[in-house]
Amino acid sequence: MNPPSASVRPVPVNPNLVFGFLTLSAVLSAIPGPSVLLETSRAINLGRRSALWIVLGNAIGGLVLLALVLAGLGAVVATSAKLFMAVKVAGACYLFCLGVSALLSVRSRSVNAPPAAAEVPSRTSWARSVRQGFLVGVANPKSIVSLMAVLPQFVDHSRGHPVLQMLVIGLAGGVVQAFIETIWVCAAGAMRTWFSGRGHRIRVLKASGGVAMIAFAGRLAIESP
């Protein structure tokens, strides 16, 4: 007599859909955005360790965005023009402040500091780096809307538990994003030797990064929902 067959629970997510979302996440993460720009600039100026703290902060910000989407607040941001605008302006203002801070740092060192001191960037605490990465990652309302629009497309409704599926897929995508950003940091850190002892190159890099962050802030501010 054959033993009764035990019911086999299906995998909570569709592996093919997860692979598709991870591929999409990898492609999007490979395109430099505000977070990658901040991380690579920090890696060249202060080294990989400081930049990796920013990667961690950005990953935590991504978890907060994922939680907001799963809680349904992403739909509110996507449908409420006023709320969307408020979050968008907040994110743009923070990026703008980072860019201005970078430009002022370059100006103050080039004017007030002696040449030897201008070549040595000031240290940044790990807590501040994590906070900066978190704010840059969480202050982009486009990420909330993108998650809200993209995640449901990778849910296999035949398997049930759509929220659980989106949680698993979103977490996997966050891991891939952090991995790609780490590669960016390592590549940028390898260029640090080229900048060693050349204060003008560091100042040009910081000024370029500041201008780029201000440009990102302007683009974020004028983009329509």
Side-chain angles (χ1 to χ4, degrees):
M1 180 178 180
N2 295 329
S5 58
S7 59
V8 179
R9 295 183 178 180
V11 180
V13 293
N14 188 322
N16 294 329
L17 293 178
V18 173
F19 178 77
F21 183 80
L22 296 184
T23 302
L24 177 62
S25 298
V27 172
L28 294 178
S29 300
I31 302 174
S35 298
V36 171
L37 177 65
L38 180 62
E39 292 157 1
T40 54
S41 176
R42 185 64 56 80
I44 293 175
N45 283 280
L46 297 181
R48 297 174 184 172
R49 179 177 297 180
S50 180
L52 289 175
W53 286 120
I54 297 180
V55 174
L56 175 61
N58 191 51
I60 297 174
L63 291 177
V64 172
L65 291 183
L66 179 61
L68 291 175
V69 169
L70 296 181
L73 294 183
V76 176
V77 175
T79 56
S80 174
K82 291 183 178 180
L83 181 57
F84 181 90
M85 181 61 65
V87 178
K88 183 170 68 171
V89 169
C93 287
Y94 183 71
L95 289 178
F96 179 81
C97 290
L98 284 178
V100 171
S101 176
L103 292 178
L104 292 178
S105 175
V106 172
R107 183 178 181 276
S108 62
R109 290 184 181 179
S110 60
V111 173
N112 300 324
E119 295 177 359
V120 183
S122 61
R123 293 183 177 274
T124 302
S125 68
W126 68 268
R128 182 180 180 186
S129 296
V130 171
R131 183 172 65 252
Q132 287 179 335
F134 173 82
L135 291 176
V136 170
V138 80
N140 188 354
K142 282 293 185 181
S143 298
I144 301 179
V145 177
S146 297
L147 284 173
M148 198 67 190
V150 172
L151 271 179
Q153 301 182 31
F154 292 88
V155 171
D156 187 345
H157 294 281
S158 65
R159 297 173 183 259
H161 308 289
V163 174
L164 175 61
Q165 290 190 55
M166 287 192 292
L167 174 62
V168 173
I169 296 173
L171 290 176
V175 171
V176 169
Q177 179 179 348
F179 177 74
I180 298 297
E181 291 179 1
T182 300
I183 294 177
W184 273 107
V185 166
C186 292
M191 296 177 59
R192 195 182 182 196
T193 303
W194 187 72
F195 289 92
S196 178
R198 299 173 176 86
H200 68 285
R201 292 181 178 178
I202 294 178
R203 290 193 293 271
V204 169
L205 173 72
K206 295 187 71 174
S208 301
V211 171
M213 278 187 278
I214 292 174
F216 272 114
R219 188 183 71 176
L220 180 61
I222 64 176
E223 280 182 339
S224 59

